[in-house]
């Protein structure tokens, strides 16, 4: 009897997933892979299996990965102290060499290898391949008062996405491969630029007119303080609320580029964006194929 009950539960799970499989069949979903899910072996395997399952049921996943902790560890071993401004890594020439070596030479190849070894078909790219991600240098403007011009902060070889060559991605998707993209772009003079992976994912999702953008992080979603001082998860929010959270300083650090990525993607035609907890096993499948979903959903106006 107990065995029959377990089988029934499994059947219910599959039936619950059916309308979502139908809805997302043939659609592109861009996933930003980062945080704890990239360093915990069990979560790595869960992530890879989620991507392969998506591919086999007809969804077209595109993976954009980070690698911040790995870059930081390498820099610290070299005696270089990392510096961040508004969630962006300050990147001089030496740091850029490390960024490209770690992201393209190590992290990207590991993800591709994991997908392929578990039965998937993945190809690794950086934004420099085929001029996939064209960039300009990013400047950060700091408010200094109503009567004074903003302070311009130069954060080095940090890129702002100007154009995405979607033909490169389409070519891989149409050949049955999962594109795995390292967030390194190419500037007008051919030099490499370090780009925040969240912003890359948002730009690529927008350029592809993806069905969804999913950002994995190490928190349950977008959190705010409730009246009793406790952290409260925002289950759903609009683009206007994104601006408010940033302007009022409620969103800080690494959450700022995540929210900006969601806004950029939605304004470019992506249907929905999600910020979810990558520490939850099979977080992507739970978000895509269940009624409840997890994390924070960001929608248009």
């Amino acid at each position: 009897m107990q065995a029959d009950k377990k089988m029934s539960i499994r059947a219910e799970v599959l039936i619950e997933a059916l309308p979502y499989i139908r809805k997302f069949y043939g659609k592109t979903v861009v996933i930003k892979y980062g945080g704890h899910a990239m360093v915990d072996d069990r979560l790595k395997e869960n992530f890879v299996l989620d991507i392969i399952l998506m591919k086999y049921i007809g969804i077209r996943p595109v993976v954009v990965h980070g690698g911040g902790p790995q870059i930081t560890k390498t820099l610290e071993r070299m005696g270089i102290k990392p510096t961040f401004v508004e969630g962006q890594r300050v990147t001089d020439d030496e740091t850029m060499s490390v960024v490209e070596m770690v992201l393209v030479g190590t992290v990207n190849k590991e993800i591709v290898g994991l997908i392929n070894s578990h039965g998937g078909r993945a190809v690794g790219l950086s934004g420099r391949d085929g001029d996939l991600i064209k960039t300009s240098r990013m400047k950060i403007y700091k408010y200094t008062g109503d009567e004074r011009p903003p302070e311009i902060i130069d954060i080095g070889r940090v890129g702002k996405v100007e154009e995405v060559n979607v033909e490169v991605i389409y070519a891989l998707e149409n050949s049955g491969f999962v594109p795995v993209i390292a967030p390194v772009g190419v500037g007008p003079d051919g030099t490499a630029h370090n780009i925040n992976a969240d912003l890359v994912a948002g730009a690529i999702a927008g350029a592809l007119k993806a069905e969804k953008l999913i950002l994995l992080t190490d928190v349950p979603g977008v959190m705010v303080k409730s009246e009793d001082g406790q952290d409260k998860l925002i289950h759903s929010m609009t683009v206007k609320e994104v601006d408010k959270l940033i302007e009022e300083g409620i969103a800080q650090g690494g959450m700022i580029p995540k929210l900006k990525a969601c806004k950029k993607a939605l304004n470019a035609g992506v249907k929905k964006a999600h910020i979810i907890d990558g520490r939850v096993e099979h977080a992507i499948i739970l978000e895509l194929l269940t009624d409840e979903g997890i994390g924070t959903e960001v929608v248009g106006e």
Side-chain angles (χ1 to χ4, degrees):
M1 198 70 177
Q2 190 68 25
D4 290 343
K5 186 176 181 181
K6 286 183 179 180
M7 295 300 290
S8 176
I9 292 171
R10 289 176 183 175
E12 288 174 7
V13 170
L14 292 172
I15 293 301
E16 181 183 335
L18 180 59
Y20 298 103
I21 294 172
R22 186 184 298 118
K23 179 179 180 180
F24 299 133
Y25 183 83
K27 303 294 178 60
T28 293
V29 176
V30 176
I31 302 113
K32 186 273 178 148
Y33 178 42
H36 199 66
M38 289 186 69
V39 296
D40 181 284
D41 288 339
R42 178 63 177 164
L43 293 175
K44 283 183 189 179
E45 184 176 13
N46 287 339
F47 170 80
V48 166
L49 293 175
D50 285 0
I51 296 299
I52 294 171
L53 175 61
M54 289 170 65
K55 192 68 179 176
Y56 274 114
I57 62 176
I59 301 172
R60 296 157 66 106
V62 175
V63 177
V64 177
H65 65 82
Q70 296 92 324
I71 294 168
T72 297
K73 284 181 181 179
T74 303
L75 289 171
E76 288 175 345
R77 283 200 299 267
M78 298 171 63
I80 303 172
K81 184 178 179 181
T83 306
F84 293 86
V85 177
E86 291 190 6
Q88 304 281 349
R89 185 186 299 274
V90 178
T91 307
D92 59 15
D93 290 344
E94 187 175 19
T95 300
M96 186 66 236
S97 296
V98 173
V99 166
E100 194 162 20
M101 175 185 71
V102 172
L103 290 179
V104 182
T106 303
V107 176
N108 188 273
K109 284 179 168 50
E110 180 188 14
I111 298 167
V112 169
L114 282 170
I115 293 174
N116 291 341
S117 67
H118 282 75
R121 300 174 71 211
V123 171
L125 299 164
S126 87
R128 299 179 79 181
D129 294 321
D131 281 348
L132 173 60
I133 305 171
K134 293 183 179 180
T135 57
S136 61
R137 282 180 68 145
M138 176 183 286
K139 296 287 193 299
I140 290 181
Y141 298 88
K142 185 177 180 182
Y143 177 75
T144 57
D146 291 338
E147 305 299 323
R148 300 171 61 187
E151 177 187 354
I152 301 175
I153 303 173
D154 185 356
I155 52 177
R157 287 171 62 178
V158 176
K160 175 184 176 183
V161 179
E162 297 293 346
E163 184 181 343
V164 177
N165 182 3
V166 293
E167 294 305 317
V168 176
I169 299 173
Y170 287 147
L172 291 173
E173 283 189 317
N174 293 335
S175 299
F177 291 99
V178 176
V180 179
I181 301 167
V184 174
V186 58
D189 58 356
T191 58
H193 284 162
N194 179 25
I195 326 170
N196 179 278
D198 296 311
L199 298 179
V200 171
I204 288 176
L208 292 171
K209 299 294 187 287
E211 184 73 14
K212 282 181 181 285
L213 167 66
I214 298 176
L215 306 176
L216 299 183
T217 185
D218 284 345
V219 293
V222 181
M223 309 294 291
V224 295
K225 293 288 185 184
S226 59
E227 292 181 359
D228 59 3
Q230 299 296 313
D231 287 332
K232 179 183 177 182
L233 173 66
I234 300 177
H235 292 282
S236 183
M237 61 190 299
T238 65
V239 169
K240 282 187 177 179
E241 290 172 303
V242 166
D243 291 333
K244 184 178 179 182
L245 287 179
I246 295 173
E247 289 167 5
E248 295 181 359
I250 297 171
Q252 298 181 349
M255 188 55 71
I256 293 174
K258 285 178 175 57
L259 289 170
K260 287 182 176 179
C262 292
K263 178 181 176 181
K264 184 177 182 68
L266 290 164
N267 287 342
V270 174
K271 300 287 180 60
K272 287 184 180 180
H274 304 264
I275 299 173
I276 67 174
D277 193 342
R279 299 169 300 178
V280 176
E281 292 194 359
H282 298 294
I284 299 170
I285 294 303
L286 289 173
E287 178 55 56
L288 277 176
L289 303 182
T290 67
D291 293 336
E292 291 83 7
I294 59 174
T296 299
E297 174 187 82
V298 187
V299 297
E301 300 301 326

